[in-house]
Amino acid sequence: MVIDGHNDLVLKRWRGEPGKHIDLETAAEAGFAGGFFAMYVPSRFDGDPPSTPYRMPFAAAIPFDEAARITEELFETLCALPVRRAQSVEDFREGAITAIVHMEGAEAIADDLSNLQDWYERGLRSIGLVWSRPNAFAQGVPFAFPSSPDTGPGLTDAGRSLVRACNELGILVDVSHLNERGFWDVVETSDRPIVATHSNAHALCASTRNLTDAQLDAIRDSGGVVGVNFAVTFLREDGMNDFEATGLDEIVRHVDYLADRMGIDHVAFGSDFDGAVVPAALGGVAGLPRLVDALRRRYEPDEVDRITHGNWLRVLDATWR
Ligand SMILES: [Zn+2]
């Protein structure tokens, strides 16, 4: 059973496209039990860097009204999917698909937090403070390689208030896409495990989207988890978008590094299915059994279980309780 830290199927469906990596009809057979389903308000530019080194332009902020309107549509799209929506960890079952309602970027939350409780009651259980752009709460990292993730200022006062309010309600706070100063502000502010739903090791791939060793250590110390992102540009040492030449071994390389650095209890998957270019050798959800087999050749069965779902369940339970 695989519980996954990030997918963008909702965005695909909202755009009227079928899932490319996730086919809900067959996903459960491949062991996919769901995970974080992102509601992401797209930025106007959307594309992959042509070659390295690169520094993509910083995406513009999205006004609250626009974000709130589109997020309503994304939520309707999510609710129309044939999946259960997670309220507690007991909702995850083998052979069924369960969605964690996740906002990727908090633009649809009012900066006085007046609609946060309402969103919680509608099922929101996870918020990524930012996508790779600024908002009222924090600043994301612009996509750049090679580059440190220390690209701008930390959380605003509203950002700290949002983290505290999420802690109180039992909404997970996700630091993927957040810049490094914002990350340390979350570490200082939050009393729950620190979670990066879809990020990799900066030591192996020097993208702004990946986590430095010091960040990994802080996540370990908080009892948190990192979901390994299958996006080719966040996996490869050269940062290139070469999906045909990228094997499953590139994903395993990051799992190994994170497990060595943090311990096996802090590593999980964060596929970025339907939101990123993934290795051709994986393809999509149908390739998950091949990835799990590759891990079985290196790890004990109970360790593989923790990577594929156990660690997510532990952190979700600690956060939602
Ligand atoms: Zn993302």
Side-chain angles (χ1 to χ4, degrees):
M1 171 162 107
V2 170
I3 296 176
D4 174 51
H6 190 89
N7 78 68
D8 282 301
L9 180 64
V10 171
L11 180 68
K12 285 257 183 209
R13 292 288 180 95
W14 176 76
R15 284 175 163 158
E17 299 166 17
K20 184 179 171 211
H21 298 139
I22 299 177
D23 172 4
L24 288 175
E25 309 273 289
T26 58
E29 288 163 35
F32 181 75
F36 295 73
F37 280 58
M39 300 188 293
Y40 162 64
V41 178
S43 278
R44 275 172 201 86
F45 81 86
D46 221 346
D48 294 307
S51 65
T52 54
Y54 60 83
R55 181 163 287 274
M56 309 279 278
F58 205 17
I62 305 225
F64 170 77
D65 289 347
E66 180 185 344
R69 176 177 56 78
I70 293 173
T71 302
E72 285 297 331
E73 295 174 11
L74 293 165
F75 185 60
E76 267 175 47
T77 305
L78 197 165
C79 290
L81 297 176
V83 299
R84 169 199 298 261
R85 293 195 300 282
Q87 305 285 313
S88 80
V89 293
E90 279 79 42
D91 291 325
F92 287 94
R93 308 258 150 84
E94 214 167 330
I97 297 177
T98 303
I100 298 163
V101 180
H102 170 77
M103 273 184 195
E104 184 173 27
E107 284 87 352
I109 301 298
D111 53 12
D112 64 0
L113 313 184
S114 52
N115 62 348
L116 183 67
Q117 171 93 31
D118 184 45
W119 267 110
Y120 178 82
E121 280 160 19
R122 298 169 79 191
L124 182 72
R125 289 295 178 273
S126 175
I127 295 181
L129 295 179
V130 283
W131 188 71
S132 284
R133 60 194 175 208
N135 65 25
F137 306 103
Q139 269 199 19
V141 285
F143 297 103
F145 180 98
S147 170
S148 152
D150 185 11
T151 58
L155 301 192
T156 63
D157 289 344
R160 288 175 188 271
S161 298
L162 177 57
V163 171
R164 283 190 285 264
C166 285
N167 283 175
E168 273 164 38
L169 281 168
I171 296 175
L172 181 140
V173 175
D174 174 19
V175 300
S176 284
H177 288 275
L178 185 59
N179 68 25
E180 190 173 352
R181 280 178 230 184
F183 173 94
W184 292 114
D185 288 343
V186 173
V187 171
E188 192 185 287
T189 308
S190 178
D191 61 11
R192 302 294 164 108
I194 305 297
V195 171
T197 57
H198 59 307
S199 294
N200 291 335
H202 195 272
L204 300 187
C205 171
S207 162
T208 47
R209 277 283 287 104
N210 289 339
L211 298 157
T212 66
D213 286 347
Q215 290 178 300
L216 298 178
D217 294 348
I219 289 171
R220 175 200 61 212
D221 293 346
S222 76
V225 78
V226 176
V228 171
N229 192 320
F230 303 164
V232 170
T233 51
F234 306 149
L235 288 170
R236 293 172 61 90
E237 194 167 13
D238 64 7
M240 293 288 285
N241 197 21
D242 193 352
F243 72 102
E244 278 174 354
T246 305
L248 297 180
D249 55 314
E250 289 286 349
I251 298 172
V252 173
R253 198 168 73 96
H254 282 266
V255 169
D256 287 350
Y257 186 89
L258 297 174
D260 279 352
R261 183 85 200 179
M262 298 191 292
I264 202 90
D265 288 334
H266 306 285
V267 189
F269 291 154
S271 70
D272 224 336
F273 280 149
D274 283 320
V277 176
V278 306
L282 184 68
V285 158
L288 285 174
R290 288 196 295 279
L291 176 60
V292 174
D293 281 345
L295 294 181
R296 284 195 200 291
R297 289 194 286 274
R298 311 167 73 78
Y299 294 97
E300 297 295 326
D302 70 298
E303 294 176 324
V304 174
D305 284 350
R306 281 182 266 168
I307 295 169
T308 55
H309 61 271
N311 291 335
W312 272 132
L313 291 176
R314 182 194 79 240
V315 165
L316 291 170
D317 200 37
T319 305
W320 290 345
R321 217 163 256 283

